[in-house]
Amino acid sequence: PMGSERMEMRKRQMSTTQETPGTAQAQHSTGNRGSNACCFCWCCCCSCSCLTVRNQDEERARRTSHELQAEGIPNCEESPAPTLEEVNGWAQSFDKLMLTPAGRNAFREFLRTEFSEENMLFWMACEELKQESNKSVIEEKARLIYEDYISILSPKEVSLDSRVREVINRNMLEPSQHTFDDAQLQIYTLMHRDSYPRFMNSAIYKDLLRSLSEKSIEA
């Protein structure tokens, strides 16, 4: 069911992005003809103003800016090469895997092969948000996280249940470092239960473990 819902969301996204500026302006002027659901607004209620049809030129420019920012994100975190002891530790618990940059990098590489890298990216963005103390920076980062990983129009949308989405929408009225805590925990749990077991049986993990074992024997 979740897969079919996400498929429908993707179809909705495609139909929205194909819409011409003239059509969007017509919908904005007529108001009631468009959908009542606000795609980017944080409260997702019918009474709020919908940012998706306010100004397509501004929206397109903002999206381009986000894409450029994303291109600047390194493919992996900076970290020393993992030791054999560390890699063996990853098999002991998911927590140990996620505690080190090398573990997150290896797991993220695996998630990329399953087209679910957004789960790790979202988790890392939430961790980064928790380190902020400046109110304006927190609000801006929370907005970007919402649009990149929570919005149904984002290609990097993560899978969250309706309860967690409602919590996020309430929290976005006054963003803080902990706006996405419930969502981050749900994605962490999803990665732990769903992706982690497959990672431990993957060629990525086994090849790394074998390579480090061989180096250890040679030494």
Side-chain angles (χ1 to χ4, degrees):
M2 181 66 72
S4 60
E5 289 178 7
R6 289 171 66 83
M7 184 71 73
E8 288 299 318
M9 291 174 182
R10 293 294 183 271
K11 290 179 180 178
R12 254 182 278 161
Q13 176 190 4
M14 292 177 63
S15 62
T16 301
T17 54
Q18 291 171 354
E19 192 174 318
T20 62
T23 304
Q25 292 171 1
Q27 286 183 341
H28 181 58
S29 62
T30 55
N32 291 334
R33 283 191 223 164
S35 171
N36 286 332
C38 295
C39 305
F40 284 106
C41 63
W42 298 331
C43 59
C44 291
C45 63
C46 299
S47 60
C48 60
S49 59
C50 185
L51 299 181
T52 57
V53 294
R54 182 174 296 173
N55 191 314
Q56 277 215 346
D57 290 337
E58 290 181 2
E59 178 68 19
R60 189 178 298 107
R62 184 167 58 81
R63 277 294 171 190
T64 302
S65 174
H66 288 184
E67 290 170 2
L68 290 175
Q69 290 176 23
E71 290 175 0
I73 297 175
N75 289 329
C76 61
E77 297 178 78
E78 292 185 7
S79 69
T83 65
L84 178 60
E85 182 181 3
E86 284 179 327
V87 175
N88 277 321
W90 299 349
Q92 296 174 13
S93 74
F94 184 60
D95 291 339
K96 286 189 175 182
L97 170 70
M98 293 290 284
L99 277 174
T100 64
R104 292 192 294 270
N105 285 337
F107 187 53
R108 180 177 168 184
E109 181 182 353
F110 169 74
L111 293 177
R112 191 178 294 122
T113 67
E114 293 201 331
F115 305 99
S116 59
E117 184 185 13
E118 66 274 4
N119 290 330
M120 177 64 81
L121 294 175
F122 171 69
W123 185 89
M124 292 171 63
C126 291
E127 286 296 293
E128 183 180 335
L129 178 65
K130 290 177 181 178
Q131 307 305 315
E132 294 294 342
S133 57
N134 183 284
K135 188 174 185 297
S136 61
V137 174
I138 289 172
E139 290 178 349
E140 175 64 11
K141 285 192 173 183
R143 182 178 66 82
L144 291 174
I145 290 173
Y146 187 97
E147 293 180 356
D148 284 343
Y149 303 107
I150 309 301
S151 169
I152 63 173
L153 292 185
S154 173
K156 295 185 292 183
E157 178 201 3
V158 296
S159 296
L160 300 170
D161 62 36
S162 58
R163 180 193 66 80
V164 171
R165 285 184 176 275
E166 288 174 4
V167 170
I168 292 174
N169 292 330
R170 289 197 301 269
N171 290 343
M172 286 301 293
L173 297 175
E174 192 173 347
S176 73
Q177 300 100 317
H178 305 289
T179 291
F180 303 100
D181 280 4
D182 285 356
Q184 186 185 22
L185 176 59
Q186 187 168 95
I187 293 302
Y188 188 91
T189 303
L190 175 66
M191 291 191 294
H192 182 190
R193 294 178 178 175
D194 185 58
S195 303
Y196 173 63
R198 291 196 299 275
F199 169 71
M200 297 312 303
N201 290 312
S202 70
I204 291 176
Y205 176 74
K206 290 180 178 179
D207 289 348
L208 178 59
L209 184 62
R210 182 175 61 252
S211 174
L212 292 174
S213 297
E214 290 173 354
K215 288 181 180 179
S216 177
I217 293 174
E218 292 173 358

